[in-house]
Amino acid sequence: MRILHLAEVDDWAAAKVSGRYDTSTRGATLQEVGFIHCCTPDQLAGVVARFYSDAPENLVLLELDDDDVRAAGTEVRYEDPGNGQLFPHIYGPIDPAWVTAADPYRS
């Protein structure tokens, strides 16, 4: 299944150099949260409205396939944060090689 993650351009650029992306969500690391927040394409508009409505224009939309992430040995769980929807969470850093598309995000 296709899953998405919004990243700041600088964080994504650093990940491509280091080979590891570990920002969970805006202002929080994987180490602080325990997983990386993602969403499905149908959930993206709601995520943007709730968490990124005041975001700068320097966002990149990362696209991954959850099967590829799992095949690499990293757990993906679909969990309900309390609103009745299941959101994909990646329990480990993202390897840039798993990212099938990384495009500037424009709302």
Side-chain angles (χ1 to χ4, degrees), residues 7-46:
E8 291 189 9
V9 170
D10 291 344
D11 291 341
W12 178 237
K16 291 190 294 184
V17 171
S18 72
R20 175 186 172 104
Y21 178 86
D22 63 357
T23 301
S24 175
T25 190
R26 212 171 157 193
T29 66
L30 168 63
Q31 293 74 20
E32 293 167 330
V33 177
F35 57 85
I36 295 177
H37 287 270
C38 295
C39 65
T40 65
D42 291 340
Q43 295 166 328
L44 180 61

Side-chain angles (χ1 to χ4, degrees), residues 61-73:
L61 184 62
L62 306 181
E63 184 175 324
L64 306 99
D65 185 293
D66 64 358
D67 288 334
D68 293 341
V69 176
R70 287 187 178 108

